[in-house]
Each structure stands twice: as structure tokens, then as C-alpha cells.
Amino acid sequence: MQIIRIALAICAPLAVTAGGAIAAGQPQMTLASTFGDWSLMTDTNAPHLFCFITSEPKSSQPTDAQRQPPRAYISAWPKDGIRAEVSFRMGFRVKKNTPGLATVSPAGFRLFGSEDRVYVTDSTRELKLVEAMRKGSTLTVAATPTNGAAVTDTYSLNGVETALQKLQETCF
């Protein structure tokens, strides 16, 4: 259930075109604000059904990996009381039974894959990752595609503290 809810929230911003139009059948999402390298997206419902902050990596290794654009997400589901659900769209199908790793120095967090995304293995570690992100400067996320070598994305955490604060203020 949690993965389905995340997938819906993550797919919504993908439907936004360059001109701001929304693809048919997708919930309408709005860019509420940008804080450093992180953007706050909200649905158009009142009260909000979900909101999230998102960012794209500053670098990826290897640079020639064949995939869709990767993104990091921290989602909020006010109706369900979920304040910070972390996920990463890798842009490729993740190899089954091969754990990924998110690192905010010096801490590492095990990830599991589903389709083209990776998630933190348990909610306690997820909260610790969010806290580490608030205090850190960079986040690396590594996962292995079904056919190929491990890929590592490096995200800037510039603005994530303010974006998280605004996520809570806006959605709850």
C-alpha cells in the first residue's frame, strides 16, 4: 500500500509539461516554492491529499548509464499522518534482491528496490535518514540496474532543511 501511494505521488509531477499542462488522468500538481536545490510540490486539493519535496542529482556515476532522469523525493500524506516518506526514482529497473545504499556522511542507510525506485528498508531508519539530510551537505544513492553495474547519484542537500519545514507547514 505504501509503495502504491508513493508511486502515485511520484508519477504526478512527471505529467507536468514544460508549459505547465497536466497529462490526462494525472492529479494536478503545483510547484509551490523552490529552496536551494529542492522544490516543494503540492496537489490542488484543499486540504492537501499529498505534497512532496524533490530534487535532481548534481552528478551521476557512471555518466553514460542508460536511464530516465533520476529524482529524490520526500513525500507527505496528511490524511494518513505521514510526514516524511523517502524514495528515489533511479530511472532504471532495479535488480531484485540487490540492496541499494543512501549515504549522508558518515551514516549509511540500506534501501530496497521496486520497479525503478528504491526505498528505505524501515520507518525508523527513514526518520534517521531525513535527520541526516537536514544536517548534511550531500547525499549519495547507489543502486544496481537489472542489466549493468551499480549507479551512484549525488544530490545537494542545499535547501532541504527549509524545504522540509515548508512541506510540514504547507501540508499539515
Side-chain angles (χ1 to χ4, degrees), residues 27-45:
Q28 186 161 352
M29 299 300 295
T30 302
L31 173 62
S33 300
T34 300
F35 308 94
D37 294 313
W38 290 79
S39 297
L40 171 62
M41 303 289 293
T42 62
D43 64 6
T44 56
N45 296 313

Side-chain angles (χ1 to χ4, degrees), residues 6-24:
I6 292 170
L8 288 173
I10 291 171
C11 290
L14 301 178
V16 178
T17 64
I22 304 295

Side-chain angles (χ1 to χ4, degrees), residues 49-127:
L49 298 177
F50 65 89
C51 309
F52 57 88
I53 61 171
T54 185
S55 185
E56 60 187 24
K58 292 297 183 182
S59 66
S60 298
Q61 294 297 324
T63 56
D64 61 350
Q66 297 295 311
R67 63 184 177 148
Q68 297 297 311
R71 291 201 76 82
Y73 297 92
I74 301 177
S75 304
W77 298 88
K79 184 177 177 183
D80 297 328
I82 297 170
R83 295 184 167 275
E85 194 168 65
V86 180
S87 64
F88 303 96
R89 184 183 70 207
M90 298 305 297
F92 54 76
R93 287 182 87 54
V94 177
K95 187 173 185 176
K96 289 186 182 209
N97 303 319
T98 305
L101 183 67
T103 305
V104 180
S105 190
F109 304 86
R110 289 179 57 99
L111 305 170
F112 72 92
S114 178
E115 303 291 324
D116 70 339
R117 294 170 176 35
V118 291
Y119 308 91
V120 181
T121 54
D122 69 71
S123 58
T124 302
R125 294 295 293 163
E126 187 171 52
L127 292 174

Side-chain angles (χ1 to χ4, degrees), residues 38 53-55 72-74 84-88 102-105 107 109 120 125-141 155-164:
W38 290 79
I53 61 171
T54 185
S55 185
Y73 297 92
I74 301 177
E85 194 168 65
V86 180
S87 64
F88 303 96
T103 305
V104 180
S105 190
F109 304 86
V120 181
R125 294 295 293 163
E126 187 171 52
L127 292 174
K128 291 183 188 241
L129 172 56
V130 171
E131 280 308 308
M133 290 172 69
R134 288 178 185 268
K135 298 173 186 172
S137 60
T138 60
L139 161 72
T140 61
V141 179
Y155 293 87
S156 165
L157 296 176
N158 175 36
V160 75
E161 169 70 27
T162 304
L164 283 165

